[in-house]
Amino acid sequence: MGENIYLFMIIALAVLAITDLVVGVSNDAVNFLNSAIGSKAISFRTIMVVASIGIAFGAMSSSGMMEVARKGIFNPEEFVFAEIMIIFMAVMITDILLLDFFNTLGMPTSTTVSIVFELLGAAVAISLIKITAAGGGFVDLSTYINTEKATEIILGILLSVVVAFSVGALVQFVSRLFISFKFQERPKWIGAIFGGLAITSIVYFILVKGLKSADIFSPVILEHIASNPVLFLLENFVLWAFVSWLVTSFFKLNIYTLIIVLGTFALAMAFAGNDLVNFIGVPLAALESYTSWSNSGTLAEQYTMESLSQAVRTPTLLLLLSGVIMVITLWFSSKAKNVVKTSVDLSRQDEGEERFQPNFLSRQIVKYSIKATENFSGIFPISLRAKIDKRFEKPYVYVPKIRTQDLPAFDLVRASVNLMVASVLISIATSMKLPLSTTYVTFMVAMGTSLADRAWGPESAVYRVAGVLNVIGGWFFTAISAFTAAALIAYLIHLGGIVAIVILLITAFLLIGKNYLSHTKKVKENKIEEKLQRAESSSIKELIEESADNIALTMKRANKIYTFCIDGLAKHDIERLKKSRKSISKLEKEVEELKDNIFYFIKNLDESSVGTSNFYITMLNYLEDMTQSLEYISKAGYKHVNNNHKKLRFNQIKDLKETDQYVSGLFSKVTQIFETKEYVNLTELIVHKQNLFDHINKKIEKQVTRTRIDETSPKNTALYFSLLSETKDLLAATLNLLEIYDGHVNGVKV
């Protein structure tokens, strides 16, 4: 019976390993996709093909890293087989739950940090149980935990954050200084030198250092590399610089695009080589433990695990199978794309929609950083500063047919540096068998290059710094929660045995299933739900057509929000009012984004349409007035119901319903006019606008009469008057919008 329990655990760990590969790759795709996707150097399909090949090669070369799961954190000889299986089971259950949680949030976290702290947490929990049973003290913990190696790994991970950010910033600054933003205009020999350095770095550190265990090179070549590393690097630099010059001069290929393709392949390979241990290292160690114990004939509670201290080469077939699962996940995971978006947005060169809101810490960091930079730059001569500033001037490129959101987030030079620096740092660690966090390295390199490239300007710095602080805060949360959760789950399994394992497994898969369904539903809703589009027009005709779609969509959504508010009040339905508040908040944010984009809109206009900017700005102001009125109506209704005030009286509800019909009728007509582009019908609505205001005024007069005669609730009266007053403002803003649009349409041939 005992052997059957452990066989069940091995099967469960195999299933958990596959699940962990899926959720892990969804998180770590950001590591090797963000530079290629952000630069738009090659098509998304090509990026995925290149990354997939890299993952397959990297997976087959990661055998050496598997030792971390067996003996990197704890001393296996101090545990018996039964205890080791509890540790491994606790680690895998915790890991899939933690990674899936971060994937659902769209936040990149570290699979390396999670696995290290889970192993540490579970091992500490079981060690303390053993120490307590033996009557020992807390100081005995060092007997069971490999404190030296664990400390080395943890410090290495933390140090990699600082090193990655600093090296990324330095290399990007030097690269930009020599190449500038006008890299296409620079002499071909500059691109050739950069290409020689970049490709040499990638080839040496990935193929030689990172994959030295994969038997790619013959012994003769490996001996030459080992005995003459400087000469080998020099030979490579000359070769690749010549190749770079050749492909740019005669084949007219872009050397930076070539570096990005090679870098994506290299980084994907480095990721798989370094991070595969995070997903299958523990289940493989469990399988080795089970095989060793089952052949021993000893009880699980008595068989000590010295066997885990021995070096064992992982079967290539298992590594290849893991690589295949990783590749399939990469192609089909929508969560992977969500995580990638976070990293790309934070390193974007231009201002735009910011995902994170500034906080006190981000404001203070930016404030004192600006002062420190000004003081430091004051040391250098003005002429030198002017020359440096000139190298960082970004040329304005007019692209009227491409939407802002479809433009690259950063240029090819920065993408090349991101890939080159990150792949080199990761491969150095892999060659030293240090499981550093590839997520931390690639993310911090991207942030360092962003800072050096002056992407964090006064317009965006507080948002970007807040985003980085959020992500780094998430990393600390990963470590703390991984340690705590793994320790708790290990203790529960120790107490409950197989029953606890079954309950925990069912709970884990139910939570993952719930998150998956929730994420799928959200993705579908986002696809169905339309969003206001930023103006990218360069002429008045294009602007009228483009803004018409935004107005139609705004009216449709405003109609729905207003009706939801009135219905929610009438039925005292807090959920409906919550939904209306959420909807108006989203609409307000979208209108605010349109206003934030005015600078780029004006820059994009051709000479004959500059006067159009006044029309567009006024139109946005009226849209903002509408959303503010809807926001007040929604907030007032929600507050009234949430505070459990009296329900509105029947006559009040009846009047509000009638008003809703008037408003709904107007919004529906406006929506239809702007959807069908039948602008001649605008005049009729404008002519009869006074009828709408008269209707509202009559409702106000009726309530005044009711208040004098039989109204008993001050709250209801105040709410009712506020709703009607804001409805008047809403209608006024709407009709003003129609009037300015009507005036422009009558003067323009559409």
Side-chain angles (χ1 to χ4, degrees):
M1 180 65 183
E3 188 168 348
N4 291 336
I5 291 173
Y6 294 113
L7 182 60
F8 167 76
M9 290 174 77
I10 291 295
I11 295 169
L13 283 167
V15 175
L16 289 171
I18 295 170
T19 309
D20 206 30
L21 277 168
V22 173
V23 296
V25 173
S26 296
N27 187 283
D28 281 4
V30 66
N31 299 348
F32 49 88
L33 294 181
N34 61 353
S35 293
I37 290 175
S39 66
K40 296 189 184 291
I42 48 179
S43 69
F44 182 74
R45 185 179 180 83
T46 305
I47 293 169
M48 297 295 278
V49 170
V50 170
S52 300
I53 297 170
I55 286 175
F57 274 94
M60 289 187 290
S61 65
S62 67
S63 179
M65 293 299 296
M66 296 300 165
E67 294 179 19
V68 175
R70 293 197 299 268
K71 58 183 180 180
I73 302 299
F74 54 83
N75 300 317
E77 65 275 6
E78 298 296 331
F79 297 90
V80 296
F81 174 67
E83 294 163 344
I84 284 288
M85 290 302 289
I86 291 175
I87 291 172
F88 289 156
M89 184 62 72
V91 166
M92 292 305 291
I93 291 173
T94 306
D95 203 50
I96 60 170
L97 286 174
L98 195 64
L99 293 181
D100 189 65
F101 170 73
F102 274 93
N103 292 347
T104 304
L105 292 179
M107 295 281 281
T109 192
S110 170
T111 52
T112 305
V113 167
S114 62
I115 206 77
V116 165
F117 278 90
E118 284 153 6
L119 281 165
L120 188 60
V124 166
I126 298 301
S127 300
L128 290 174
I129 291 169
K130 288 169 68 72
I131 290 168
T132 304
F138 194 74
V139 290
D140 297 325
L141 197 59
S142 59
T143 306
Y144 300 93
I145 304 300
N146 188 349
T147 51
E148 185 180 344
K149 185 67 176 177
T151 304
E152 181 187 340
I153 290 170
I154 293 166
L155 288 177
I157 289 169
L158 294 173
L159 184 63
S160 69
V161 172
V162 180
V163 171
F165 185 83
S166 306
V167 174
L170 179 62
V171 174
Q172 179 61 37
F173 179 79
V174 173
S175 300
R176 189 64 75 191
L177 207 57
F178 283 98
I179 300 172
S180 81
F181 277 95
K182 301 174 183 176
F183 58 92
Q184 304 284 22
E185 302 171 10
R186 303 291 289 160
K188 288 184 173 58
W189 64 267
I190 291 180
I193 290 175
F194 183 82
L197 288 169
I199 297 173
T200 298
S201 301
I202 291 169
V203 167
Y204 180 72
F205 285 103
I206 295 297
L207 299 183
V208 180
K209 287 286 187 183
L211 300 183
K212 62 183 178 184
S213 62
D215 299 327
I216 294 176
F217 302 104
S218 67
V220 178
I221 295 175
L222 289 173
E223 187 179 345
H224 169 67
I225 295 170
S227 57
N228 303 289
V230 177
L231 179 62
F232 176 77
L233 286 170
L234 188 60
E235 290 168 349
N236 262 272
F237 170 70
V238 173
L239 170 66
W240 292 116
F242 176 73
V243 170
S244 300
W245 178 80
L246 205 63
V247 298
T248 53
S249 300
F250 294 97
F251 296 99
K252 306 301 179 186
L253 295 176
N254 190 319
I255 188 60
Y256 302 102
T257 302
L258 186 63
I259 294 168
I260 289 168
V261 172
L262 184 60
T264 300
F265 169 80
L267 200 52
M269 190 156 57
F271 150 73
N274 189 282
D275 279 19
L276 191 57
V277 62
N278 302 340
F279 313 131
I280 67 168
V282 167
L284 285 179
L287 180 61
E288 290 168 20
S289 304
Y290 178 78
T291 304
S292 177
W293 166 73
S294 60
N295 295 329
S296 68
T298 310
L299 291 173
E301 291 78 11
Q302 297 174 357
Y303 184 72
T304 54
M305 296 306 303
E306 289 87 353
S307 59
L308 282 182
S309 299
Q310 301 167 8
V312 179
R313 189 168 181 83
T314 308
T316 305
L317 187 62
L318 277 176
L319 294 173
L320 183 59
L321 180 63
S322 302
V324 169
I325 294 170
M326 293 167 83
V327 169
I328 292 170
T329 303
L330 185 66
W331 279 88
F332 294 102
S333 173
S334 59
K335 288 185 178 181
K337 298 178 182 67
N338 195 27
V339 177
V340 170
K341 186 177 184 301
T342 299
S343 182
V344 170
D345 284 349
L346 285 174
S347 55
R348 189 179 58 243
Q349 187 68 40
D350 299 310
E351 288 81 21
E353 180 183 350
E354 300 292 350
R355 176 172 173 178
F356 298 93
Q357 292 303 309
N359 51 49
F360 173 78
L361 190 55
S362 72
R363 291 188 184 100
Q364 295 305 307
I365 289 173
V366 171
K367 177 182 174 182
Y368 289 108
S369 296
I370 290 172
K371 286 183 179 179
T373 305
E374 288 172 352
N375 292 334
F376 180 73
S377 61
I379 300 171
F380 301 98
I382 295 174
S383 57
L384 178 61
R385 278 183 277 161
K387 285 181 181 178
I388 292 173
D389 289 340
K390 195 167 182 62
R391 311 300 290 175
F392 283 84
E393 284 180 1
K394 294 180 280 293
Y396 176 73
V397 182
Y398 175 62
V399 279
K401 298 301 177 187
I402 304 177
R403 290 191 176 277
T404 303
Q405 56 266 41
D406 295 328
L407 292 172
F410 38 79
D411 70 359
L412 303 182
V413 174
R414 177 133 66 95
S416 302
V417 172
N418 283 347
L419 291 162
M420 174 176 63
V421 174
S423 59
V424 166
L425 292 175
I426 291 167
S427 298
I428 290 173
T430 304
S431 69
M432 296 168 65
K433 290 192 171 69
L434 284 175
L436 91 171
S437 168
T438 54
T439 304
Y440 289 9
V441 170
T442 52
F443 182 82
M444 293 311 292
V445 165
M447 295 306 104
T449 58
S450 302
L451 180 66
D453 229 11
R454 303 186 180 181
W456 297 359
E459 306 287 336
S460 61
V462 287
Y463 303 99
R464 307 288 174 85
V465 172
V468 174
L469 292 174
N470 268 278
V471 173
I472 293 176
W475 296 347
F476 283 103
F477 174 76
T478 300
I480 295 167
S481 54
F483 180 91
T484 307
L488 178 62
I489 289 175
Y491 183 65
L492 291 174
I493 294 173
H494 169 74
L495 292 179
I498 190 67
V499 176
I501 291 172
V502 171
I503 292 172
L504 287 166
L505 285 172
I506 291 171
T507 304
F509 284 109
L510 282 175
L511 286 171
I512 289 174
K514 180 177 177 292
N515 285 342
Y516 173 77
L517 292 174
S518 174
H519 178 74
T520 305
K521 183 182 176 183
K522 188 177 178 181
V523 169
K524 286 180 180 177
E525 285 175 354
N526 288 340
K527 284 182 179 178
I528 294 170
E529 188 179 68
E530 297 173 282
K531 183 179 178 181
L532 302 185
Q533 298 298 322
R534 295 178 183 178
E536 307 287 347
S537 308
S538 58
S539 69
I540 180 65
K541 181 177 179 179
E542 290 175 359
L543 177 63
I544 286 175
E545 291 293 322
E546 191 176 54
S547 59
D549 295 332
N550 277 344
I551 292 172
L553 183 56
T554 302
M555 294 299 170
K556 188 190 294 183
R557 289 165 67 179
N559 194 358
K560 187 176 179 182
I561 291 165
Y562 188 84
T563 300
F564 259 57
C565 288
I566 301 303
D567 285 350
L569 264 174
K571 297 173 182 176
H572 231 59
D573 186 347
I574 193 70
E575 291 303 318
R576 191 174 288 247
L577 290 164
K578 270 184 186 176
K579 192 175 287 188
S580 71
R581 286 193 73 185
K582 188 177 178 182
S583 299
I584 186 55
S585 177
K586 190 171 186 303
L587 183 58
E588 261 191 317
K589 186 180 178 184
E590 289 174 27
V591 172
E592 188 179 333
E593 286 168 12
L594 296 184
K595 295 197 74 174
D596 288 343
N597 195 55
I598 284 175
F599 171 83
Y600 301 101
F601 163 73
I602 294 173
K603 283 276 190 183
N604 210 32
L605 287 173
D606 56 36
E607 289 296 328
S608 62
S609 303
V610 173
T612 309
S613 56
N614 189 45
F615 159 71
Y616 184 65
I617 292 166
T618 307
M619 185 196 80
L620 290 182
N621 286 337
Y622 287 137
L623 286 180
E624 187 176 46
D625 290 343
M626 288 178 62
T627 57
Q628 286 174 352
S629 293
L630 284 169
E631 197 272 337
Y632 181 87
I633 291 168
S634 177
K635 182 180 176 182
Y638 176 82
K639 182 181 176 183
H640 186 85
V641 175
N642 196 40
N643 287 340
N644 296 303
H645 295 316
K646 280 185 180 179
K647 289 185 179 181
L648 293 175
R649 298 178 65 177
F650 174 78
N651 287 335
Q652 291 173 323
I653 293 172
K654 181 172 172 289
D655 287 349
L656 287 174
K657 285 279 193 180
E658 287 177 4
T659 303
D660 178 37
Q661 288 176 359
Y662 270 85
V663 174
S664 182
L666 173 66
F667 285 173
S668 296
K669 287 174 185 176
V670 175
T671 302
Q672 186 178 10
I673 289 169
F674 282 94
E675 282 181 343
T676 59
K677 310 293 191 290
E678 294 175 354
Y679 305 118
V680 290
N681 295 328
L682 285 173
T683 308
E684 183 184 352
L685 294 179
I686 295 167
V687 167
H688 293 99
K689 70 176 183 179
Q690 192 56 45
N691 294 343
L692 292 167
F693 294 124
D694 289 343
H695 169 83
I696 303 291
N697 289 332
K698 286 177 183 176
K699 299 299 181 189
I700 291 173
E701 288 170 7
K702 283 177 69 176
Q703 179 60 27
V704 169
T705 304
R706 282 197 294 262
T707 303
R708 289 174 62 83
I709 298 171
D710 62 351
E711 181 62 73
T712 58
S713 172
K715 294 288 185 187
N716 279 9
T717 302
L719 173 66
Y720 186 83
F721 283 133
S722 296
L723 292 176
L724 290 181
S725 177
E726 282 300 326
T727 301
K728 280 181 73 175
D729 290 345
L730 173 64
L731 293 175
T734 304
L735 290 162
N736 287 337
L737 177 65
L738 300 187
E739 285 176 358
I740 64 151
Y741 208 94
D742 185 43
H744 266 77
V745 169
N746 289 335
V748 177
K749 186 179 178 182
V750 181

